[in-house]
Each structure stands twice: as structure tokens, then as C-alpha cells.
Amino acid sequence: MGSFTVAFVGYICYNSSMNEKFKNKIRALREEHFPGRSIRSLDKELEPYFGKHFYAYLSKVEAGALPSLDFIKKIKDSYSLSVNEYEDLVKAYFHQKFEDEIISESQRSGIALMPEPLVFRKVNKKKRL
Amino acid sequence: MRMRITKNWDPLVDSYQLTKQEIESQVLGDLAKYRHKYNEKYNKPAPVPLDVDNYIHELWGFDVTFEKISDDSEEEETLGFLRPETREVIVGEDCTNHRRISFTIAHEAGHLALHGPLFVIKDGIISGWKSSPLHKKTKKSDTAHIRREWQANVYAGALLASRIEVEEFLKELGLIENQTLIPFKLNEHFSKFEERFGLSRQALEIRLEHLGVPIIKSSFV
């Protein structure tokens, strides 16, 4: 029982770092393949694969949201990933997927509290800038 | 930019006054810093027109994330805000107009550049909002809020259409002859301005007015 607990805790820690690695990895791949360019500036490269709102979707993935496997395949083509890069990304993807589906449910409780933002950019709905 | 603040000054309740010229000079300094940093890191010049998403990333380490933003008022629409604890600029995902998105990000860059006292800074990195003893919403804090938003808008206009770039563009359009600016109808050139600077008509008019560029406005736009 004792060794099982240790192994399980070890696995959780391992996966937590993998989870971090997925969003970091996908961001690092973009920065490596398109150095010095923001997501929105990649319309010519990414719009044919992900559609008009590619930037919204990709920004969410880089912020930690888990995409579909099909999305990963499109990343491979649009970023021209090498076989090794693609394999690493898929590995990181499945580690996060596993954590999100099985382990995270037991770990997460309640809603993450975020401090209230102090400054908003608001516009009058009738008079926009 | 120099300012004198008193010992009891609370950045969440009060704010400091900045002139358009002071904000303009802050933008020029930030742009120079960005171009230098970009050139050193990527070994190529920074993109023109400005990639404001990259600008905010290189200077403050903030990334742009698109999320659903629910409106808390019927009259006002929230287009974006800062989430300093995760170093993100949140932009409403319903907004698909790239000019508006750019202006929103530039506006938030204005807060980062001009309103440092609002943030907790650890090891030179912004890591959250500065917490303050609970204070009531007063006329003073409302004025400070309005002032900060105006300053951020001026910063955004100056960032997306810097004085030097506007002057160069006016020369390209043949609107400067013998170092004299010829008053022109904005309608006739707006699409070119829009393509170059990505500002909406209203934002461009305000920016040109700040720069003292004489434009002939049409009443039937």
C-alpha cells in the first residue's frame, strides 16, 4: 500500500510537469518556427489550416487549453514540424489529456479565484473608438 | 517622465496627470527599447507596421489570450483587460476586427507603461495587482480611473501611429511640400491611413488632432 501511494504521488508530480510542458512546448515550437512573430501576424501561414479565428483558438491552447488531436496534426503541417518535434508534442498532449481526464478531477475543487482586474478598456456601445 | 508623489499617495485611488507630450515621449522611449531588444534577440529589424502583440510580449512578457468577456453594464462593452498574475492581456473573443484588437492591446500596453504603481513587481517582472486596503468608490477614484483610461488611449494612438511614421507617411502621400503640411480631406486618404496604421476613423482623427495635423472633416461621412 505504502509503495503504491509513493508511486501514485510520483506519477501525479510527473504529469503535472508534463502538463506545463505541453503549453510551453506548443508555444516554444511556434517561437522556434516563426521567430519574432506573434500569433495574429501568422494569418498567411495558419489561416488556411485553422480558419479565420486561428489566433483565438491558438492563444487559448498556448494558455493551457487542451485541443483536439486533429489540431495537433494541423500544427505539424502548418509549423512544418520534424518527426521528433511532432512525436514530443504528441507525447506531451497525451500526458496532459490523461491528467485532465483522470487525475485532475480528484485534485481540483471549487473555482479558481482570480483577483478583480483594476483597469478595463471599455467603450460606449453607441460611440466606439 | 518625472513626477512628485506624496507619502500617502494611493495608486488605486489617485492618479497622476500626464500631458500628451509626456505620453508621446514615453512611447518613443518604449519603441526604441523594443526595436533594440528585437534586433538583438532575432537579428533582424522589428516589423513595420508594429506587431503590437509581439511588442507587449517582448517588453513586459505579456501574451494575448482571447476569452469570452461578459458585460457588466448595458451601456459599456468591455473589450479587454489585463491579468497581471498570469501576464496576459485578455481580449474579448467576440471581437474579430483586427484594428480594434490591436488598439485594445496597445491600450493595455499603455497601462503597463504608464501605470506601474498599480502592479506588484517582483524581480522586475509584473506579477499581480497591488492590493490596497478596501476603499469606497469615490469621486476621486472615478476621476483617477477616467484619467488612466484617457492616458492609455493616448498611448495606444501614439504607439500605433508614431509621430515620425505619420510624418513619413504624409510625405509619401505628397501632403508635405517645402516642409509645409497641406490641409487635406481625410475621406480621400483614410483607406491608406487605415492600411498603414490600423486605426479606426475616430481613433485616427483624434491622433491627427493630437499631432496638430490639419484635416478637413466631411460632415457626411
Side-chain angles (χ1 to χ4, degrees):
Chain A
M1 180 67 188
S3 62
F4 171 76
T5 310
V6 171
F8 189 67
V9 169
Y11 192 78
I12 291 170
C13 294
Y14 174 67
N15 272 284
S16 297
S17 67
M18 286 307 292
N19 182 12
E20 270 306 299
K21 275 184 187 168
F22 177 74
K23 71 174 187 181
N24 290 346
K25 191 174 280 291
I26 205 158
R27 180 192 302 266
L29 285 171
R30 174 177 59 81
E31 287 174 350
E32 201 180 313
H33 287 263
F34 307 103
R37 296 187 58 187
S38 67
I39 297 175
R40 268 198 315 137
S41 75
L42 296 168
D43 52 337
K44 285 192 186 93
E45 292 85 351
L46 303 183
E47 206 178 302
Y49 294 91
F50 302 102
K52 219 171 178 180
H53 299 119
F54 68 94
Y55 54 91
Y57 196 21
L58 199 56
S59 81
K60 285 180 185 184
V61 172
E62 288 194 4
L66 191 69
S68 66
L69 192 57
D70 184 51
F71 179 90
I72 306 285
K73 287 176 190 161
K74 284 178 181 172
I75 285 284
K76 181 189 176 230
D77 296 334
S78 56
Y79 286 18
S80 307
L81 298 184
S82 69
V83 176
N84 281 347
E85 285 173 328
Y86 180 59
E87 280 178 4
D88 281 353
L89 189 65
V90 170
K91 262 187 223 167
Y93 171 80
F94 280 110
H95 275 288
Q96 180 174 342
K97 197 172 169 64
F98 179 78
E99 183 184 90
D100 282 3
E101 285 178 2
I102 301 168
I103 299 172
S104 301
E105 285 307 312
S106 61
Q107 286 182 318
R108 288 182 195 147
S109 63
I111 301 160
L113 291 171
M114 285 285 190
E116 280 287 304
L118 292 172
V119 282
F120 287 91
R121 169 158 146 72
K122 287 184 178 183
V123 288
N124 191 311
K125 282 181 179 169
K126 288 174 192 164
K127 194 180 171 187
R128 289 176 157 183
L129 183 64
Chain B
M1 196 164 58
R2 279 185 184 182
M3 35 205 149
R4 183 178 295 173
I5 48 180
T6 60
K7 197 171 77 178
N8 298 325
W9 185 74
D10 182 345
L12 303 183
V13 180
D14 209 346
S15 67
Y16 34 76
Q17 289 185 41
L18 296 169
T19 64
K20 285 175 224 160
Q21 287 72 24
E22 284 170 327
I23 297 171
E24 184 93 37
S25 116
Q26 177 72 35
V27 169
L28 289 176
D30 289 346
L31 270 174
K33 191 176 163 191
Y34 167 66
R35 286 179 183 138
H36 178 74
K37 209 169 177 180
Y38 191 97
N39 203 13
E40 283 222 317
K41 189 171 172 185
Y42 302 107
N43 209 19
K44 60 182 179 182
V48 178
L50 179 76
D51 180 349
V52 70
D53 306 40
N54 180 260
Y55 173 85
I56 208 163
H57 175 76
E58 299 297 338
L59 285 188
W60 293 282
F62 273 60
D63 289 308
V64 180
T65 305
F66 292 83
E67 277 183 16
K68 191 95 187 155
I69 300 176
S70 52
D71 282 341
D72 49 7
S73 145
E74 279 185 12
E75 288 164 4
E76 287 183 318
E77 180 186 5
T78 304
L79 301 176
F81 59 89
L82 290 169
R83 190 177 282 156
E85 55 278 8
T86 48
R87 289 203 295 284
E88 286 175 289
V89 177
I90 307 300
V91 177
E93 66 180 14
D94 294 333
C95 184
T96 53
N97 181 334
H98 280 273
R99 284 179 287 133
R100 294 193 81 198
I101 294 172
S102 292
F103 197 89
T104 298
I105 297 164
H107 172 99
E108 299 305 334
H111 286 304
L112 294 170
L114 304 171
H115 306 133
L118 290 176
F119 306 105
V120 172
I121 300 171
K122 279 182 192 164
D123 302 323
I125 295 167
I126 291 175
S127 58
W129 293 111
K130 199 164 267 182
S131 57
S132 176
L134 285 174
H135 51 262
K136 287 177 192 167
K137 206 173 176 231
T138 60
K139 202 176 170 185
K140 196 178 177 186
S141 67
D142 279 351
T143 308
H145 178 72
I146 291 165
R147 185 182 283 160
R148 278 195 295 262
E149 295 308 305
W150 176 85
Q151 289 168 350
N153 276 340
V154 173
Y155 185 97
L159 181 65
L160 296 176
S162 73
R163 179 181 288 275
I164 297 164
E165 282 173 0
V166 171
E167 280 173 6
E168 277 173 8
F169 191 59
L170 290 169
K171 276 181 200 162
E172 277 174 36
L173 293 176
L175 296 168
I176 294 181
E177 276 181 15
N178 301 325
Q179 295 186 319
T180 308
L181 190 60
I182 305 159
F184 61 94
K185 285 182 182 168
L186 189 55
N187 273 358
E188 290 173 9
H189 299 284
F190 176 66
S191 59
K192 290 174 194 160
F193 272 98
E194 188 186 28
E195 195 183 327
R196 175 75 167 252
F197 300 109
L199 289 177
S200 69
R201 169 121 194 165
Q202 197 190 353
L204 181 65
E205 280 184 12
I206 293 169
R207 178 62 186 146
L208 293 177
E209 192 191 315
H210 285 177
L211 290 171
V213 174
I215 51 168
I216 301 161
K217 290 180 196 171
S218 169
S219 318
F220 305 100
V221 180

